[in-house]
Structures are given as structure tokens and as C-alpha cells.
Amino acid sequence: MNAHPQAVDPRRYDVVRLVQELTTASLRFTDRAGAVRGLHRSDLNALQALAKARDEGRSGLSAKQLAEALTLSPSATTTLLDRLERAGHVTRGLDADDRRRVTISMTESAGAEARAMFGPLAAAMMEMMSGFDDEEIEVVARFLRAATDIVDQMER
Amino acid sequence: MNAHPQAVDPRRYDVVRLVQELTTASLRFTDRAGAVRGLHRSDLNALQALAKARDEGRSGLSAKQLAEALTLSPSATTTLLDRLERAGHVTRGLDADDRRRVTISMTESAGAEARAMFGPLAAAMMEMMSGFDDEEIEVVARFLRAATDIVDQMER
DNA sequence: AGTTATTCGTTCGATGATCGAAGGATTCCA
DNA sequence: TGGAATCCTTCGATCATCGAACGAATAACT
């Protein structure tokens, strides 16, 4: 049921495909940019999670939190942290409150790598957006927020 | 040089972050949906490349084309095709023109899997877009095309 | 307080995706 | 026709990830 309540608007369906193309293009870009620096997907995901945590005010994440954010097993997370620590992108600190926990923090070098990877892309996007007026940008932002919400909700 | 030609417009910078959030959310969703079906990223990428080829009229891709699309070594591609063939999602055919080539085609079961994975997401997106009028959808489409172009160009 | 249960991170052995090198088959070119 | 290039596969090795088990630290229960 509910298969074809009415004919699908082709323009809107195009947008669905465009979203998919954007995400796969971004995926390819990220993989490539990371590979050049010896970082694979999980490493990038971890750094991004740490960066997000930092931007939201938290000083660092525990290994467990990271494992959950990455949907990674505890043992895999240990290996990943060994890797990132060896590369100098992350430090392991002891949690004062709970001494079972290990607090993970990004180093400055990780931030520099991130900027080197994504800075040019962000700059190009900013320039591209000069072709949109403020009202249009607002529409785009509204769409992106709504689309992200939907994808996130499908996730559970 | 060229660090701050002028102050960055915060609204536009927000959009950059929103794009990133959308892509990472989509990535998580895809990984999860695939894992449930025993498909990992490379398998999904391969099926998507095949679907795209089919939608563009090409009957199938050669193993080499697939390897390039996935940035995968020839040997890894062989293994991947073994896997997909064993799962019944793909068939290997001989190319009539060049008998070195192996022509890869999606099976009907692969299409069914794809619909099961992405159909509900697409439906939710379509419904979400009813909150946008035609003119706004056109703006969004223009933005998505431009953003994808940029990401693709950064890729080289 | 003391004992038990839970949580956290790590280590260990195993699995599997991917890689590079080498090889057989086919096609291109001179 | 013969040599070079292309295509896919096989083989051995590497590395990320997993599950199970462990020691340390905390929480819960009595």
C-alpha cells in the first residue's frame, strides 16, 4: 500500500538523485584525500567525531564514546587509537573522575591536517555560493537540515 | 596569502558544515543498511556504479571500468565480483567484441535489494520536499549540482 | 564495610578485504 | 606474423576489524 499515492514529481525525484551523487562524490573525495595522508575511513571518522566534540565544548571523548560513534568494536578502537597516537594526531589522557576511562584528544597536528584536507574544498564551496543570494542560501540550508534529519532518523 | 580576502559570511559557512553533516549521515545510513544485508562499502559502491551505468543506457560495465570507478586494484575487484556473484547480485558475461573483457551486470535481486534499502529513504525525502515550492526546489537542485561539481573537481 | 556485578580499555588469535607481483589469454600495431 | 599492450585472474602477504577473555576500576546490593 501507499505505493503511488500520486505520480512522482520528476524534479523532486531528481533532487533525491542529486543528493546521492553529492554524497558519493564527497565520499570519494574524502577517501582519496585521506589515503594521501595515510588515513583511512575510520581514522577520518574518528578525527571528525573528535573535532565535533571539541566544537561542542567537550574537551575530549572516551574510547568507549568513540567506539560507539564509529560503530566499532572495543578492540578495533584500541588499534585505531594506537595508530592515531603513533601518527601524532591524538593523545591518550587519564580521566580524573573515572580512572578506567581514557580521554582522547586531538592534537594540533590533526587540526592542521584537517584544514589542509578540507580547507580548499570549503573555500571553493564558499566561492560557489557567491552565485546564490541570501534568500536562496536560506532555502538551501533549510533543505540540507531537513534532509540530514531524515537520514538520521532512518538510521535507527 | 589569500587567507582572508574578506570576512566569511557565517550563513554560507553554515551551509558548508551542513553539507558535511548530510554526507556523514548518509554514510552512516548506507553502512548500516548494507551491513544488515551482508554488503560492505565496496559492494554498495559497485552496485551503485552498475545501477548508474544501467540508468545511463549502458548494458553493463567491464571489470576494469568497475575497478576504476571504485579505485580498487584489479585483484580486489576480482574478489569483489566473486563475492557479489556468489550472493547472486551480479553476473559475469563474456564481451562479444573483446573476449578479454568480462561484462558485469546487475541481477534482478540486486535491484530488489537496492529498492529495499533506499526506497523508504527516497520516499521520506519526497515527502519532506512537499514543504518546498517548485522555485525553491529549483534553487536546491542548482546548489546540489554546483556542489557536486566542485567536489568532483577537487578529486583530481 | 564487603562482596558481587558491571564497565572500561587492552591483549590475543582469527577472519577477511585489499594489495602487489606474476601469469595466461586476447587484442593491437608495426 | 611477432612483439607490446590490455584484461582478468591467481597467489602470497599485509592490515583493519572482530569476538573472546582478561585485569583494573567503579557501582550496586546487602
Side-chain angles (χ1 to χ4, degrees):
Chain A
M1 68 199 74
N2 195 23
H4 287 291
Q6 45 189 327
V8 193
D9 172 26
R11 298 232 177 125
R12 284 176 170 75
Y13 198 77
D14 270 352
V15 169
V16 172
R17 291 200 308 113
L18 286 170
V19 167
Q20 190 189 4
E21 283 180 22
L22 173 59
T23 60
T24 65
S26 302
L27 179 57
R28 278 196 306 269
F29 166 75
T30 304
D31 276 346
R32 262 184 60 105
V36 168
R37 289 155 229 270
L39 301 168
H40 25 151
R41 171 134 307 280
S42 290
D43 305 62
L44 295 172
N45 288 343
L47 292 178
Q48 183 182 339
L50 289 168
K52 185 174 179 183
R54 188 197 49 193
D55 291 349
E56 289 172 357
R58 284 166 290 175
S59 64
L61 292 173
S62 75
K64 182 76 181 309
Q65 288 174 314
L66 208 50
E68 279 166 3
L70 306 176
T71 331
L72 220 55
S73 72
S75 56
T77 306
T78 295
T79 309
L80 174 137
L81 291 176
D82 290 345
R83 208 160 53 216
L84 288 178
E85 198 176 34
R86 206 177 314 122
H89 293 327
V90 132
T91 58
R92 278 189 241 230
L94 292 178
D95 187 314
D97 293 348
D98 186 337
R99 288 178 357 218
R100 289 171 302 185
R101 292 203 181 95
V102 172
T103 306
I104 313 300
S105 313
M106 286 179 66
T107 64
E108 203 34 58
S109 90
E113 287 267 53
R115 277 189 295 278
M117 283 181 63
F118 297 111
L121 179 60
M125 295 266 287
M126 291 299 285
E127 181 173 346
M128 175 274 281
M129 279 188 274
S130 64
F132 291 75
D133 65 33
D134 289 356
E135 196 178 338
E136 290 169 336
I137 288 294
E138 191 45 51
V139 170
V140 169
R142 178 159 61 97
F143 173 86
L144 291 174
R145 271 189 284 266
T148 304
D149 280 351
I150 285 181
V151 176
D152 272 335
Q153 281 174 8
M154 303 292 289
E155 207 160 357
R156 348 195 161 109
Chain B
M1 70 201 76
N2 195 25
H4 288 291
Q6 45 190 330
V8 193
D9 173 26
R11 299 231 177 125
R12 285 178 170 74
Y13 198 76
D14 270 352
V15 169
V16 173
R17 290 201 307 112
L18 286 170
V19 167
Q20 190 191 2
E21 283 179 23
L22 173 58
T23 59
T24 65
S26 302
L27 181 56
R28 278 196 307 269
F29 165 76
T30 303
D31 275 347
R32 262 184 59 105
V36 168
R37 297 170 167 76
L39 301 168
H40 21 164
R41 177 92 41 95
S42 290
D43 304 61
L44 295 173
N45 288 342
L47 292 178
Q48 184 182 340
L50 288 168
K52 186 174 178 184
R54 189 198 48 194
D55 291 349
E56 290 172 356
R58 283 167 290 175
S59 64
L61 291 174
S62 75
K64 181 75 181 307
Q65 288 173 315
L66 208 50
E68 280 166 3
L70 306 176
T71 332
L72 220 55
S73 72
S75 58
T77 305
T78 295
T79 309
L80 174 138
L81 291 176
D82 290 345
R83 207 159 55 216
L84 288 178
E85 198 175 33
R86 206 177 314 122
H89 293 327
V90 133
T91 58
R92 278 190 241 231
L94 292 177
D95 188 313
D97 294 348
D98 186 337
R99 286 171 9 210
R100 291 170 302 185
R101 292 204 181 97
V102 172
T103 306
I104 313 300
S105 314
M106 285 178 66
T107 63
E108 202 35 56
S109 90
E113 288 268 53
R115 277 189 295 278
M117 285 180 62
F118 297 112
L121 179 61
M125 295 267 286
M126 291 299 284
E127 180 173 346
M128 176 273 282
M129 279 188 274
S130 65
F132 291 76
D133 65 33
D134 289 356
E135 198 179 335
E136 289 170 336
I137 287 295
E138 190 44 52
V139 170
V140 168
R142 179 159 61 96
F143 173 86
L144 291 173
R145 272 189 283 267
T148 304
D149 280 351
I150 285 180
V151 176
D152 273 335
Q153 281 174 7
M154 303 291 291
E155 208 161 356
R156 341 196 164 110

mmCIF file of all heavy atoms in Angstrom, chain B residues 14 50 53 59 66 77 89 102 109 124 128 148-150 152:
data_model
loop_
_atom_site.group_PDB
_atom_site.id
_atom_site.type_symbol
_atom_site.label_atom_id
_atom_site.label_comp_id
_atom_site.label_asym_id
_atom_site.label_seq_id
_atom_site.Cartn_x
_atom_site.Cartn_y
_atom_site.Cartn_z
ATOM 1 N N ASP B 14 27.884 28.046 7.378
ATOM 2 C CA ASP B 14 26.982 27.039 7.937
ATOM 3 C C ASP B 14 26.590 26.009 6.893
ATOM 4 O O ASP B 14 26.507 24.806 7.184
ATOM 5 C CB ASP B 14 25.710 27.715 8.471
ATOM 6 C CG ASP B 14 25.852 28.122 9.929
ATOM 7 O OD1 ASP B 14 26.870 27.750 10.541
ATOM 8 O OD2 ASP B 14 24.956 28.802 10.444
ATOM 9 N N LEU B 50 27.036 0.170 -11.033
ATOM 10 C CA LEU B 50 26.347 -0.628 -12.048
ATOM 11 C C LEU B 50 24.949 -0.070 -12.315
ATOM 12 O O LEU B 50 24.512 0.004 -13.469
ATOM 13 C CB LEU B 50 26.247 -2.083 -11.577
ATOM 14 C CG LEU B 50 27.575 -2.855 -11.590
ATOM 15 C CD1 LEU B 50 27.438 -4.172 -10.850
ATOM 16 C CD2 LEU B 50 28.036 -3.087 -13.015
ATOM 17 N N ALA B 53 25.277 2.992 -14.403
ATOM 18 C CA ALA B 53 25.583 2.641 -15.787
ATOM 19 C C ALA B 53 24.321 2.177 -16.516
ATOM 20 O O ALA B 53 24.066 2.569 -17.656
ATOM 21 C CB ALA B 53 26.645 1.544 -15.821
ATOM 22 N N SER B 59 24.724 -1.310 -21.013
ATOM 23 C CA SER B 59 24.173 -2.590 -20.559
ATOM 24 C C SER B 59 24.917 -3.102 -19.335
ATOM 25 O O SER B 59 24.332 -3.682 -18.430
ATOM 26 C CB SER B 59 24.265 -3.612 -21.680
ATOM 27 O OG SER B 59 25.622 -3.868 -21.997
ATOM 28 N N LEU B 66 34.858 -0.985 -13.602
ATOM 29 C CA LEU B 66 34.403 -1.036 -12.224
ATOM 30 C C LEU B 66 35.567 -0.760 -11.274
ATOM 31 O O LEU B 66 35.446 0.017 -10.318
ATOM 32 C CB LEU B 66 33.810 -2.421 -11.948
ATOM 33 C CG LEU B 66 32.741 -2.509 -10.876
ATOM 34 C CD1 LEU B 66 31.672 -1.471 -11.083
ATOM 35 C CD2 LEU B 66 32.147 -3.897 -10.853
ATOM 36 N N THR B 77 39.136 -6.318 -7.229
ATOM 37 C CA THR B 77 37.889 -6.320 -7.996
ATOM 38 C C THR B 77 37.458 -7.743 -8.312
ATOM 39 O O THR B 77 36.271 -8.069 -8.240
ATOM 40 C CB THR B 77 38.084 -5.513 -9.291
ATOM 41 O OG1 THR B 77 38.557 -4.216 -8.951
ATOM 42 C CG2 THR B 77 36.788 -5.399 -10.047
ATOM 43 N N HIS B 89 24.015 -11.195 -6.860
ATOM 44 C CA HIS B 89 23.689 -9.820 -7.201
ATOM 45 C C HIS B 89 24.253 -9.398 -8.542
ATOM 46 O O HIS B 89 23.954 -8.308 -9.034
ATOM 47 C CB HIS B 89 24.217 -8.876 -6.125
ATOM 48 C CG HIS B 89 23.523 -9.040 -4.811
ATOM 49 N ND1 HIS B 89 22.197 -9.386 -4.717
ATOM 50 C CD2 HIS B 89 23.952 -8.919 -3.537
ATOM 51 C CE1 HIS B 89 21.854 -9.465 -3.452
ATOM 52 N NE2 HIS B 89 22.900 -9.207 -2.709
ATOM 53 N N VAL B 102 35.355 -8.965 -19.207
ATOM 54 C CA VAL B 102 34.235 -9.601 -18.526
ATOM 55 C C VAL B 102 33.194 -8.522 -18.294
ATOM 56 O O VAL B 102 33.486 -7.485 -17.707
ATOM 57 C CB VAL B 102 34.676 -10.198 -17.185
ATOM 58 C CG1 VAL B 102 33.479 -10.686 -16.396
ATOM 59 C CG2 VAL B 102 35.650 -11.341 -17.423
ATOM 60 N N SER B 109 17.749 -9.459 -8.376
ATOM 61 C CA SER B 109 17.782 -9.478 -6.907
ATOM 62 C C SER B 109 18.543 -8.271 -6.369
ATOM 63 O O SER B 109 18.207 -7.720 -5.322
ATOM 64 C CB SER B 109 18.430 -10.772 -6.411
ATOM 65 O OG SER B 109 19.833 -10.619 -6.266
ATOM 66 N N ALA B 124 10.739 9.183 2.004
ATOM 67 C CA ALA B 124 10.733 10.194 3.057
ATOM 68 C C ALA B 124 11.244 11.529 2.528
ATOM 69 O O ALA B 124 10.727 12.595 2.870
ATOM 70 C CB ALA B 124 11.598 9.718 4.228
ATOM 71 N N MET B 128 9.297 15.058 2.422
ATOM 72 C CA MET B 128 9.916 16.253 3.006
ATOM 73 C C MET B 128 9.896 17.406 2.007
ATOM 74 O O MET B 128 9.645 18.554 2.355
ATOM 75 C CB MET B 128 11.350 15.907 3.420
ATOM 76 C CG MET B 128 12.154 17.057 3.960
ATOM 77 S SD MET B 128 12.996 18.016 2.681
ATOM 78 C CE MET B 128 14.398 16.948 2.327
ATOM 79 N N THR B 148 28.293 19.302 -6.156
ATOM 80 C CA THR B 148 28.843 18.030 -6.627
ATOM 81 C C THR B 148 29.959 18.269 -7.638
ATOM 82 O O THR B 148 31.006 17.600 -7.604
ATOM 83 C CB THR B 148 27.729 17.186 -7.267
ATOM 84 O OG1 THR B 148 26.680 17.008 -6.319
ATOM 85 C CG2 THR B 148 28.265 15.823 -7.680
ATOM 86 N N ASP B 149 29.755 19.231 -8.519
ATOM 87 C CA ASP B 149 30.804 19.557 -9.490
ATOM 88 C C ASP B 149 32.095 19.922 -8.772
ATOM 89 O O ASP B 149 33.183 19.466 -9.138
ATOM 90 C CB ASP B 149 30.363 20.721 -10.373
ATOM 91 C CG ASP B 149 29.420 20.264 -11.476
ATOM 92 O OD1 ASP B 149 29.272 19.031 -11.634
ATOM 93 O OD2 ASP B 149 28.839 21.121 -12.152
ATOM 94 N N ILE B 150 31.976 20.737 -7.757
ATOM 95 C CA ILE B 150 33.170 21.180 -7.045
ATOM 96 C C ILE B 150 33.879 20.004 -6.409
ATOM 97 O O ILE B 150 35.088 19.827 -6.548
ATOM 98 C CB ILE B 150 32.791 22.227 -5.982
ATOM 99 C CG1 ILE B 150 32.490 23.545 -6.676
ATOM 100 C CG2 ILE B 150 33.906 22.389 -4.957
ATOM 101 C CD1 ILE B 150 32.119 24.644 -5.731
ATOM 102 N N ASP B 152 33.747 16.930 -7.208
ATOM 103 C CA ASP B 152 34.329 16.075 -8.244
ATOM 104 C C ASP B 152 35.626 16.671 -8.781
ATOM 105 O O ASP B 152 36.583 15.958 -9.055
ATOM 106 C CB ASP B 152 33.338 15.881 -9.386
ATOM 107 C CG ASP B 152 32.408 14.706 -9.132
ATOM 108 O OD1 ASP B 152 32.808 13.808 -8.369
ATOM 109 O OD2 ASP B 152 31.303 14.692 -9.688
#
